Amino acid sequence: MAIAEAPGAPCVSSFAFWSQPAPRRARTFEQLRRTDPVSFQEPPDFGTVGASRGFWAVTRHADVVSVSRNPDLFCSSRGIGLGDTPADILELTAALPLMDPPRLTAVRRVVSGAFTPKRVALLKDRIGAEAERIVDEFVERGGGDVVADFSRKLPIWTISEMLGVPESMREQLANSAEVLIAAEDHESEGRTDNGGTAALKAGMDLHRMARTLIKDRRLNPGDDILSALVHSELDGEPLSEQVLRNIFSLFITAGNDTTRNTTSHAFTLFSDNPDQWSRLVSGGDDVLGPAIEEMVRCATPVIRFGRTATADTVLGGVEIAEGDPVVMFYESANRDEAVFPDPQSFDITRSPNPHVAFGGGGVHFCLGASLARVELTALFSRLAERVASVEAGEPSYIVSDFFNGINAMPVRVVAR
């Protein structure tokens, strides 16, 4: 079989599409779910490395789950972006998102020890104390910029604590993470600086920090995750330094983005829906759990992930050829009318809520999901105790097909 375009399918591979605010993108995804749930898209016309061919856009919840749970048929090791990534780059950057079973299964078994309920529980009180400090400072100032003054703080602190990053490295670590997020902003193409070069330097800085820390942990192991990974074995052999450095970088980026972006979006959601904030404040712990899930669903901090078909198959009634790129759009699946009644509404009591913001299940389900929930719970339980009302100003969004993020947004909070 060969790729054959579905005529008339709306385009989701252009800079013009991703420059739109999320509500306008939602209308396009709604149309695709209704008329072309698996549609062929032309190569992106923005700065995606190796974007020489099109891809299949998967927009329905059921199809996203199907792709997620069939790694033998839809593999990750050939790239997860919208373009064709060179093999040497794939090898250099190979971490969990770019692995397939059985190697993924083996490495994930080792890495998952970092996110066991017991280990997360040991951090829970410390995360709660840090969240309380961040919230109290924000409330006492009456608010501020949602990213710089609030949402970026707890995630980078938490992952630094888990990895045992010393205070002397944390500022550089946070700066490198910021550069990597900025590199995903397609608006940066219009700037005079070279975002790709800056991202490469930031990535190299993270690897240099990782190399230093790995060397130290080999000689002086502690009770942090990096020490555990350095002294773990895979098939009877220690994890290679390249794999360790890739995992370190993955933890810094993935551990930062989900909680940060969900937190920022939550302020806009509660500002636009003050009745939901009142419900959170009055509902206590019974409401908090469902509220966190609804925040994550509506924010969908990671918009999409790609796979490659390993054999001819049929998906959503469409013939997919071996080697075809297939892209799962979580942003669309999380608003699928077949799964979520009134999907555009923000309802913190929504139940059930089988969102795919942490992935559609299967071997690539987000290892840090439980940690993200602990962080979000710590932040919003304290906010509910301290804040009577939330008012968000105009957000400056990241223009990205990967991160659903906010660069900056003024927020005013009124203390209870």
Side-chain angles (χ1 to χ4, degrees):
M1 289 185 289
I3 286 181
E5 182 175 355
C11 175
V12 297
S13 64
S14 68
F15 179 79
F17 175 77
W18 293 108
S19 297
Q20 299 177 108
R24 291 183 63 184
R25 296 202 304 265
R27 291 198 289 271
T28 299
F29 281 127
E30 180 183 0
Q31 180 181 344
L32 282 171
R33 289 192 301 272
R34 187 174 61 252
T35 62
D36 296 283
V38 179
S39 65
F40 178 73
Q41 300 287 327
E42 295 292 340
D45 62 5
F46 46 88
T48 302
V49 175
S52 60
R53 57 179 179 156
F55 60 90
W56 295 101
V58 182
T59 54
R60 289 192 310 200
H61 187 280
D63 295 327
V64 166
V65 170
S66 177
V67 172
S68 299
R69 298 186 178 184
N70 286 281
D72 291 341
L73 187 55
F74 299 101
C75 75
S76 300
S77 56
R78 300 187 204 176
I80 56 176
L82 300 186
D84 304 319
T85 308
D88 55 342
I89 299 297
L90 288 174
E91 179 64 27
L92 179 65
T93 59
L96 295 176
L98 282 160
M99 291 181 181
D100 294 318
R103 179 168 174 76
L104 168 66
T105 307
V107 175
R108 187 180 173 96
R109 187 180 302 117
V110 174
V111 177
S112 63
F115 297 100
T116 61
K118 181 179 178 181
R119 187 177 285 274
V120 172
L122 290 173
L123 261 177
K124 189 174 181 179
D125 288 344
R126 290 162 60 198
I127 291 173
E130 183 66 11
E132 185 173 316
R133 185 192 67 77
I134 292 167
V135 169
D136 289 352
E137 181 181 279
F138 194 66
V139 173
E140 286 159 14
R141 293 172 54 185
D145 180 80
V146 72
V147 178
D149 300 325
F150 193 81
S151 62
R152 72 190 290 263
K153 293 185 175 183
L154 185 61
I156 201 69
W157 178 89
T158 300
I159 202 65
S160 295
E161 288 287 304
M162 292 182 74
L163 290 168
V165 179
E167 288 291 340
S168 60
M169 283 188 177
R170 292 193 181 188
E171 183 176 356
Q172 183 183 11
L173 188 80
N175 289 340
S176 295
E178 291 294 315
V179 171
L180 291 172
I181 291 172
E184 289 291 336
D185 189 346
H186 302 315
E187 285 283 343
S188 66
E189 294 179 2
R191 300 173 185 169
T192 56
D193 60 321
N194 190 320
T197 301
L200 179 61
K201 181 181 182 302
M204 292 172 65
D205 287 342
L206 286 180
H207 276 255
R208 276 194 292 270
M209 283 184 271
R211 187 182 298 115
T212 299
L213 292 172
I214 290 165
K215 181 178 179 180
D216 176 70
R217 297 305 194 278
R218 292 196 195 282
L219 300 173
N220 306 295
D223 60 358
D224 55 89
I225 291 171
L226 188 58
S227 292
L229 292 172
V230 166
H231 293 278
S232 295
E233 291 187 346
L234 178 63
D235 298 330
E237 298 290 335
L239 295 175
S240 71
E241 182 169 307
Q242 181 67 58
V243 169
L244 287 168
R245 285 191 275 122
N246 289 343
I247 292 172
F248 177 89
S249 298
L250 174 66
F251 279 6
I252 296 302
T253 52
N256 182 34
D257 301 328
T258 300
T259 306
R260 165 192 173 132
N261 290 331
T262 298
T263 301
S264 298
H265 280 286
F267 275 92
T268 66
L269 292 164
F270 282 118
S271 179
D272 292 342
N273 301 275
D275 62 310
Q276 297 299 303
W277 182 255
S278 297
R279 184 175 293 181
L280 181 69
V281 168
S282 63
D285 292 343
D286 290 341
V287 175
L288 187 58
I292 297 302
E293 300 306 314
E294 182 70 345
M295 292 179 215
V296 176
R297 180 190 76 88
C298 291
T300 311
V302 175
I303 293 171
R304 54 86 185 154
F305 259 107
R307 299 285 186 265
T308 302
T310 61
D312 292 354
T313 188
V314 175
L315 178 67
V318 175
E319 292 184 344
I320 307 292
E322 178 183 357
D324 282 358
V326 173
V327 178
M328 300 172 288
F329 284 96
Y330 306 130
E331 182 176 74
S332 175
N334 276 344
R335 287 165 174 76
D336 190 336
E337 302 80 0
V339 177
F340 305 99
D342 192 15
Q344 304 303 332
S345 69
F346 176 56
D347 177 6
I348 66 170
T349 64
R350 185 184 296 276
S351 181
N353 193 345
H355 66 76
V356 293
F358 293 120
V363 296
H364 282 286
F365 186 80
C366 177
L367 275 171
S370 61
L371 179 63
R373 289 180 171 116
V374 167
E375 293 178 63
L376 290 165
T377 298
L379 287 171
F380 283 91
S381 62
R382 186 59 175 174
L383 280 166
E385 291 175 359
R386 292 294 317 274
V387 174
S389 64
V390 173
E391 182 181 334
E394 189 68 25
S396 169
Y397 290 105
I398 295 173
V399 178
S400 172
D401 63 288
F402 188 69
F403 288 136
N404 188 20
I406 293 175
N407 281 317
M409 181 177 69
V411 168
R412 178 175 175 267
V413 294
V414 177
R416 292 180 65 180

